[in-house]
């Protein structure tokens, strides 16, 4: 089992930036399938971005060009840099990882984009 702890959420205005971090309880090197998801109130959780151990990344069309995901192996954390935030980005953001075949989720961090 691995625990994932997200941080960095908050309230920002449209056009501003936020950086989310996910700190696992084990070395990030042993965790696969790391990704960020988000859940807008009343909707299903949706995939936002993912990164593989080799560094290749993928993004949902809605965030492509604005969000950047990366694994920081030296600091043992997963990061999501979010730029040019929009009101529709308002959601609870979750970190996901796969450890020994088991999918693990963090508790989520709230991101609110509002003027």
């Amino acid at each position: 089992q691995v625990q994932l702890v997200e941080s960095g959420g908050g309230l920002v205005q449209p056009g501003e930036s936020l950086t989310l971090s996910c700190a696992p309880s084990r070395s990030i090197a042993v965790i696969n399938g790391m990704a960020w998801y988000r859940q807008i109130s009343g909707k299903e959780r949706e995939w936002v971005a993912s990164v593989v151990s080799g560094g290749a990344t993928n993004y949902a069309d809605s965030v492509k060009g604005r969000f950047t995901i990366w694994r920081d192996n030296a600091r043992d954390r997963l990061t999501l840099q979010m730029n040019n935030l929009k009101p529709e980005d308002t959601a609870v953001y979750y970190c996901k990882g796969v450890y020994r075949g088991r999918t693990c989720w963090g508790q989520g961090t709230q991101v609110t984009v509002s003027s």
Side-chain angles (χ1 to χ4, degrees), residues 11-25:
L11 171 63
V12 296
Q13 296 188 350
E16 294 185 339
S17 299
L18 273 177
T19 303
L20 304 184
S21 291
C22 171
S25 58

